[in-house]
Each structure stands twice: as structure tokens, then as C-alpha cells.
Amino acid sequence: MTGLPDPAASRAVLIGTAGYRYLAGLPTVEANVRDLAAELCDATVWGLPEPHCTSVLDPEHPADLLDAVHRAGDEATDTLLVYFAGHGMRDTETDDLYLALHGSQQNVGYTAVGYQHLRSALRDSQAQRKVVLLDCCFSGRAARMLAGEEDALAEQAAVEGAYVLTASPRDRAALAPDGERHTAFTGELLRILRDGIPDGPELIDLDTLCRTMEARLRSKNRPLPQRATEGGVGRLKLVRNRALGLRDVDVLEADVRAAMAGAGIVLARSLRAAGRSGDALPILRLTLQERAPGGEGDLLAVQLELSEVLSETGRTREAIEVLEQAFAQVHRFYGPEAVQVCRRLAALLQESGNHIEACAVLEHALDLLQDGSRALA
């Protein structure tokens, strides 16, 4: 037992609306969703299998948002995490909360998703624990209504038996600081997931996460997160503290990365042999990111393994992209892995109907073999 929610029995749905037809765009939201998904699937953070983490970008219709939550809620038996980033709107008469879609209009509630529908989807889930992260912004009348009511959003967003953490800045500048990749709220969340909390616990629970975010955002004079919780869910340990893994380690960075590359491939192959290709995927992605500088041979080995896992999990297009990146490097090597890259890339291209490209790749493999033979002569 790791003490964390079981990744195999947990699900996450990450929703973000970055582009709007009638409201101001929030370009940082797309980076929020993509980077948060990467961290949650990182084996050193939580290790959620990629198929268990659903990203919904720029939903057009309420069903695009709610169907994903209902599916994840039906599948999750341990923990269900739902994240939304984008414009939040308040009904002018009822003060109800709405989550804005691509075509939402201010003060026109039926063009958005009423939060009560998301709450119902969460209540229907069989998951033991539910976590809701709302990175919503407000403007105009809603901003004035929220002034001086620090707990208004958190209280309205509360879900029975769930932990709800919200950000409710009063304008877009506070939500998405100029020149930064992420919104203020999600950016701070990502920094904790990536770097951990020095002197913090080995496993970071939700209350610790909230307190740390609050302290760091306060030091930057940014809007503070709000929370609503029931049933002791705040004690749920959600992620590993990566800061502890970096403490008192006196080895060269290149040695660490080389060791991670070797261990990552071994672990990934063991998981594949056990029929757990989905679990091997985030490990290989991390290994590819952390390989030692100049370790091109390791690079080819990791790319080959990653392409196989992507193919096994139905991500053929991504597998081809990985092998194409590897193919750009194979002219520097004459070893068997360089030839294997060509063979696998050609096979996938042929399966995809790109026969001419497949022939060109195979011709290059023959050139590599001939060059290798001359080098050994």
C-alpha cells in the first residue's frame, strides 16, 4: 500500500474552456489541463494511468462536459477528481453558479452548464472519495457580489462527502497573470505537484495542499483558495511529496538521469509482461524526459519501448510521432536499435497506408546496415 488512492480504481476528469465565442479568451487554460494531466499521471506524483485521466478541452455542449464526468463516476470506486478551469458565471436573479462553455453568453444561463448538474453527477458516482477543483473567474456584477463574501463560492459548490477547492478571482488579470503559462491558482497547484513541499509530509493530503497554496498565493498578493469539505476527505493523501525525493542526495545529475532511464525501461517491461501496458506509459514518458544529456543510445531504447506501448494501447498516431523523432537521430548510429527504429516505423506507416514513406524508411535501414558492415570491415 502506498497510502495514496488506488490509481487502478480512481479516475480524473480535467475540463478547460480556453476559447470563447462571446467571452474573453483564457489561453492559459489549455496549458493548465495538459500539464495537470501530465503530473497526475506521473508515477512520482500519483501514477494515474493515462486512460483513467480524461481531458475535455473547449466543450461545445453540456453533454461534452457532463458525459465525461458520469463515465468516470461510474468507473471509479476509490477516488474521483474533477477539475474545471474557465469562466464561471452567476445567475443575475438566483445567484446560481454556471460553468461557461465555448458558446456561453454572460447572463444567459442556458448557454452554460449549471453547477447543480455537475454536483448531481458527483453524487451519483460510486467513488468513495470525490475531489473538485474549480479554477473559475468572475467579472462584472458577479465580482461585486462576491466582494466581501470569501466563502460564497466554496459553500455553493459544496458536494456531500466531497472536498471542493475553489479559486474565485475578481477579474481575468488575477486569474491569468501576464507572461505566465498557467492561471494563478493552477500554476501554484502545479508547482507543489512538481517540486513538492520542503519539510512537508511524505504524502501530501488535501488540507496540506490547500494551506500551502493559500500561503504562497497570499505572499504574491493573489486571490486565496477557498474550500468546503465533509466527511474528513481533507485528510485524503492525494500525491507524493517530490521535495523529499530531492533531499540530501549527493550524486551527479547525469548519474541520476542515467539510472532513471535504465530503471524506467526495466520497470516498464515488467509491467508490460504483466499485462499492465497502461501503467508502463507514464513511466516511459518520465524516463524519456529525465534521460541523461548526451545519452542518445538510451534515447532510442526508450523511444522504441514507448512506441510499442503506445501501439498496444491504441495510440498509433502518437507511436508514429515518437518513432519519427527517433528516426531523425538514427543517422548518428549504426547499432541494432537504429535499424529497429526504422523497421518499426516502416511497419506502422504501412499499417496507416503510407506505403511510399514506409519504403523510404526501409531504404534508410538498408543504408544503416551497409554502413555498419563497412565500419566492421
Side-chain angles (χ1 to χ4, degrees):
M1 287 291 292
T2 64
L4 298 178
D6 180 6
S10 299
R11 299 292 187 274
V13 181
L14 312 182
I15 306 157
T17 308
Y20 291 91
R21 189 175 297 123
Y22 304 106
L23 305 175
L26 298 170
T28 53
V29 165
E30 182 173 354
N32 281 5
V33 172
R34 296 192 187 282
D35 293 350
L36 183 56
E39 292 305 316
L40 294 178
C41 294
D42 191 318
T44 66
V45 179
W46 183 5
L48 196 66
E50 286 198 8
H52 294 184
C53 185
T54 301
S55 295
V56 181
L57 282 169
D58 291 332
E60 291 274 357
H61 308 287
D64 298 336
L65 186 157
L66 294 171
D67 284 354
V69 177
H70 277 290
R71 282 194 301 270
D74 289 341
E75 296 169 356
T77 55
D78 189 320
T79 298
L80 172 63
L81 184 150
V82 176
Y83 166 92
F84 174 83
H87 283 298
M89 303 190 302
R90 306 294 285 271
D91 186 274
T92 55
E93 295 183 0
T94 66
D95 203 29
D96 288 342
L97 172 64
Y98 288 85
L99 307 179
L101 303 170
H102 175 70
S104 294
Q105 301 178 49
Q106 193 65 261
N107 300 326
V108 185
Y110 63 81
T111 63
V113 174
Y115 183 77
Q116 69 269 23
H117 297 304
L118 177 59
R119 181 190 283 117
S120 295
L122 292 164
R123 285 174 174 166
D124 291 342
S125 172
Q126 60 181 334
Q128 296 178 40
R129 286 82 60 96
K130 299 152 190 175
V131 181
V132 182
L133 306 175
L134 293 180
D135 194 348
C136 297
C137 62
F138 298 89
S139 57
R141 181 176 184 275
R144 292 192 294 274
M145 290 168 61
L146 284 174
E149 299 177 16
E150 293 185 357
D151 296 328
L153 178 59
E155 289 179 359
Q156 184 180 9
V159 179
E160 183 179 353
Y163 191 96
V164 180
L165 184 61
T166 71
S168 57
R170 300 181 185 179
D171 53 41
R172 187 163 64 96
L175 177 78
D178 290 339
E180 296 189 15
R181 176 177 171 82
H182 306 105
T183 58
F185 174 87
T186 301
E188 214 58 63
L189 170 63
L190 285 168
R191 272 185 281 276
I192 294 173
L193 298 184
R194 288 170 173 167
D195 303 329
I197 303 174
D199 301 321
E202 179 182 357
L203 302 176
I204 300 174
D205 61 72
L206 290 168
D207 283 340
T208 300
L209 180 67
C210 179
R211 287 194 299 269
T212 304
M213 289 181 65
E214 182 178 0
R216 294 183 180 183
L217 288 167
R218 180 182 287 109
S219 70
K220 298 176 182 179
N221 197 29
R222 293 180 174 177
L224 303 181
Q226 306 163 21
R227 59 182 162 176
T229 180
E230 293 183 10
V233 186
R235 295 191 294 273
L236 172 66
K237 297 174 175 62
L238 185 64
V239 295
R240 297 176 179 84
N241 187 354
R242 295 186 75 180
L244 301 187
L246 303 176
R247 184 181 294 171
D248 299 327
V249 179
D250 187 22
V251 292
L252 295 175
E253 180 180 359
D255 293 337
V256 173
R257 291 185 172 182
M260 288 182 67
I265 293 176
V266 171
L267 179 56
R269 287 173 178 167
S270 298
L271 288 169
R272 289 180 62 201
R276 298 172 58 188
S277 295
D279 292 335
L281 197 52
I283 294 171
L284 287 169
R285 292 191 188 280
L286 177 65
T287 302
L288 189 61
Q289 176 184 339
E290 297 294 339
R291 68 179 180 85
E296 288 86 355
D298 289 338
L299 170 62
L300 289 184
V302 175
Q303 287 172 319
L304 282 167
E305 197 75 23
L306 178 57
S307 69
E308 287 189 357
V309 175
L310 287 168
S311 296
E312 291 172 0
T313 54
R315 297 173 171 85
T316 304
R317 182 62 254 175
E318 291 182 56
I320 291 175
E321 290 175 357
V322 169
L323 288 174
E324 285 175 339
Q325 294 170 5
F327 182 69
Q329 301 292 325
V330 297
H331 67 280
R332 302 169 59 182
F333 310 99
Y334 302 129
E337 287 179 339
V339 176
Q340 191 69 4
V341 165
C342 297
R343 292 179 60 186
R344 291 184 186 170
L345 177 57
L348 287 178
L349 288 171
Q350 187 173 10
E351 290 175 11
S352 302
N354 299 319
H355 303 294
I356 295 177
E357 294 180 33
C359 289
V361 171
L362 286 174
E363 288 178 4
H364 189 80
L366 290 173
D367 291 339
L368 286 174
L369 287 171
Q370 290 173 358
D371 291 339
S373 299
R374 285 195 294 267
L376 293 173

